[in-house]
């Protein structure tokens, strides 16, 4: 899987138990995807990974 070409990876759980896994190139695309799917998602189960974030900072991140 070529996740190095995408910036953000989204893992989410839907209200009906669906699992969503997608990737976005930029912040605008990420925001649009969340807006388009907001009514279907459990927002507290939304996990977004930034592939361009410094790996050292990932260790000390306060996000789950």
């Amino acid at each position: 899987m070529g996740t190095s070409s995408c910036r953000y990876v989204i893992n989410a759980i839907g209200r009906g138990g669906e699992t969503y896994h997608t990737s976005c190139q930029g912040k605008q695309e990420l925001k649009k995807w969340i807006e388009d799917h907001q009514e279907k998602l459990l927002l507290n189960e939304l996990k977004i990974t930034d592939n361009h974030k410094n790996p050292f900072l990932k260790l000390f991140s306060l996000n789950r």
Side-chain angles (χ1 to χ4, degrees), residues 26-57:
K27 199 171 216 175
Q28 296 294 335
E29 187 179 350
L30 172 67
K31 287 181 180 182
K32 179 159 177 29
W33 189 90
I34 292 172
E35 288 173 3
D36 291 346
H37 295 87
Q38 186 172 4
E39 67 280 351
K40 299 177 190 175
L41 300 175
L42 295 172
L43 295 179
N44 59 342
E45 295 293 329
L46 182 67
K47 294 186 176 123
I48 301 169
T49 304
D50 183 353
N51 287 330
H52 292 179
K53 189 173 183 180
N54 186 328
F56 183 72
L57 294 175

Side-chain angles (χ1 to χ4, degrees), residues 3-24:
T3 58
S4 62
S5 65
C6 67
R7 171 127 192 208
Y8 300 102
V9 177
I10 304 167
N11 290 306
I13 298 176
R15 295 181 191 264
E18 306 91 348
T19 302
Y20 295 91
H21 179 80
T22 189
S23 58
C24 298

